[in-house]
Amino acid sequence: MNRLDQLPKNVYDRLEYLEFMLRFRGWISRSDLTDRFGLGEAAATRDIRLYKELSPDNLKLNQSSKKYEILDDSFHPVFDLPIQSALSKLRKRNICDALGISGSNGSFSPVRLVLPDVDLLATITRAISVGAQLRTVYRSVKNGQSVKNLVPHALFDNGIHWYMRAFDLNKNSFRSYALTRICNAHIDRQVNEHPDLKLKDFQWSRMVSVELTPHPNRKNVPHPETIEYDFDMKDGALKLMVRAAVVGYWLHYWNVDCTEDHSLKGYNYQLWLRNHQTLYDVESRGIAPGLSTYDQD
């Protein structure tokens, strides 16, 4: 039996695809491999034979259709497939076409309303890589347009915007900036004189514990046991560790009621932050639902 880590990369990729189609569609044929990878039929047959050697109880040949079908009762995946990877594959048009599903069947994700410019993104990542300063023109919702001198050190996504975490040399503080609000940016070729600056961003390095439970208001959540099942909660709660600089953004994105007395009303608030005290002295807390407005760019 061949071990997966001993397979050539091209063979590994083909067998991984073979198993994905077998697992998610229920069958695989030689034409799937020949069309996808430009193989001849003999090579496709060898791949199927090799996969069968790796796991003989995962598939059988249907003589009438000439398709190799999954054996549900005895199927055990050969390849590790995290759910994030599976969902990522289902977003690809060629995979959807092969499975016979489409966006109208629910496989598409919501459209991202805003995406950063790729050249701007590349400029920022280069600055992070070498520890350089950026001179930017930035548009703030509250303060309008201004010139900023920033030293970026990280990126994060809040589900709607991509943000740059950076030290603002003019304000002498760490802040988060939406990439799509940066009009232009260029690198100051002088490398940052403080290469350990990232270590001083305590809101970034600090991790906070988040405990999410079904919202106690029965008008919001008439059947809390459904929420527990939905979010795979253990002992009635979903526990996460999140960076302090990011947690407010994510709680907002998740529609989590962060009030101490779980006072927010509405069907969209199905989760409550049980350990609300975890947000004490957290910079991004004001972005979280139910807390005071935070002065954020």
Side-chain angles (χ1 to χ4, degrees):
M1 179 183 296
N2 291 14
R3 292 186 51 177
L4 293 181
D5 56 7
Q6 296 174 337
L7 295 175
K9 179 64 166 58
N10 58 341
V11 177
Y12 182 99
D13 291 344
R14 296 199 299 267
L15 296 190
E16 184 181 42
Y17 176 78
L18 184 159
E19 180 173 277
F20 182 87
M21 297 304 297
L22 185 68
R23 187 176 183 182
F24 283 80
R25 187 176 60 184
W27 57 271
I28 186 80
S29 67
R30 286 183 298 180
S31 62
D32 286 309
L33 297 172
T34 58
D35 294 345
R36 168 82 172 181
F37 298 100
L39 300 177
E41 288 195 0
T45 300
R46 284 196 299 271
D47 283 347
I48 295 173
R49 184 185 304 120
L50 176 56
Y51 181 81
K52 193 169 180 61
E53 290 174 2
L54 290 169
S55 188
D57 296 328
N58 276 1
L59 74 169
K60 66 176 180 179
L61 177 63
N62 184 320
Q63 294 290 349
S64 61
S65 65
K66 302 302 180 183
K67 295 176 181 178
Y68 292 85
E69 299 175 350
I70 190 172
L71 296 172
D72 290 320
D73 295 337
S74 59
F75 181 83
H76 296 288
V78 175
F79 295 88
D80 180 44
L81 182 64
I83 183 59
Q84 296 92 335
S85 297
L87 293 173
S88 177
K89 290 178 184 294
L90 290 177
R91 293 188 183 100
K92 296 179 179 179
R93 178 63 181 272
N94 58 346
I95 295 290
C96 287
D97 289 345
L99 293 176
I101 61 178
S102 65
S104 60
N105 293 346
S107 65
F108 283 179
S109 299
V111 174
R112 292 295 293 249
L113 297 179
V114 291
L115 287 170
D117 177 78
V118 66
D119 291 327
L120 170 67
L121 180 62
T123 298
I124 293 171
T125 57
R126 289 200 306 272
I128 293 174
S129 178
V130 300
Q133 299 177 17
L134 283 177
R135 185 171 178 83
T136 72
V137 176
Y138 188 80
R139 290 181 179 272
S140 167
V141 172
K142 182 176 181 179
N143 300 314
Q145 183 171 301
S146 63
V147 175
K148 295 184 180 294
N149 295 294
L150 308 172
V151 183
H153 70 75
L155 298 170
F156 70 90
D157 179 15
N158 79 336
I160 298 176
H161 290 89
W162 275 91
Y163 282 83
M164 169 179 68
R165 187 70 180 170
F167 184 74
D168 189 319
L169 293 167
N170 302 108
K171 294 182 179 180
N172 196 37
S173 63
F174 289 96
R175 302 175 77 85
S176 300
Y177 298 94
L179 268 57
T180 47
R181 296 177 185 171
I182 300 175
C183 301
N184 60 66
H186 68 270
I187 294 177
D188 182 342
R189 291 300 175 183
Q190 180 181 357
V191 175
N192 177 25
E193 296 177 356
H194 305 284
D196 62 342
L197 197 60
K198 179 178 181 178
L199 301 178
K200 297 179 181 179
D201 187 353
F202 301 117
Q203 291 289 319
W204 182 261
S205 57
R206 176 185 171 188
M207 303 296 294
V208 297
S209 172
V210 172
E211 298 179 9
L212 307 180
T213 68
H215 200 284
N217 189 331
R218 287 304 177 93
K219 291 184 178 180
N220 289 21
V221 180
H223 295 280
E225 69 278 3
T226 300
I227 302 301
E228 292 186 27
Y229 180 83
D230 189 10
F231 290 89
D232 193 24
M233 294 181 176
K234 309 299 182 186
D235 299 321
L238 177 62
K239 298 180 181 180
L240 307 166
M241 296 298 293
V242 186
R243 293 188 186 276
V246 174
V247 65
Y249 293 90
W250 288 4
L251 290 169
H252 177 80
Y253 183 68
W254 296 330
N255 283 331
V256 178
D257 182 351
C258 298
T259 60
E260 182 176 354
D261 58 354
H262 41 78
S263 57
L264 296 185
K265 296 179 175 58
Y267 185 72
N268 54 314
Y269 294 112
Q270 297 185 349
L271 297 171
W272 176 57
L273 181 64
R274 181 172 68 183
N275 62 331
H276 57 273
Q277 71 279 2
T278 196
L279 298 183
Y280 175 75
D281 204 28
V282 168
E283 174 192 277
S284 63
R285 71 185 305 275
I287 304 171
L291 302 183
S292 59
T293 302
Y294 177 66
D295 182 16
Q296 179 67 29
D297 288 323

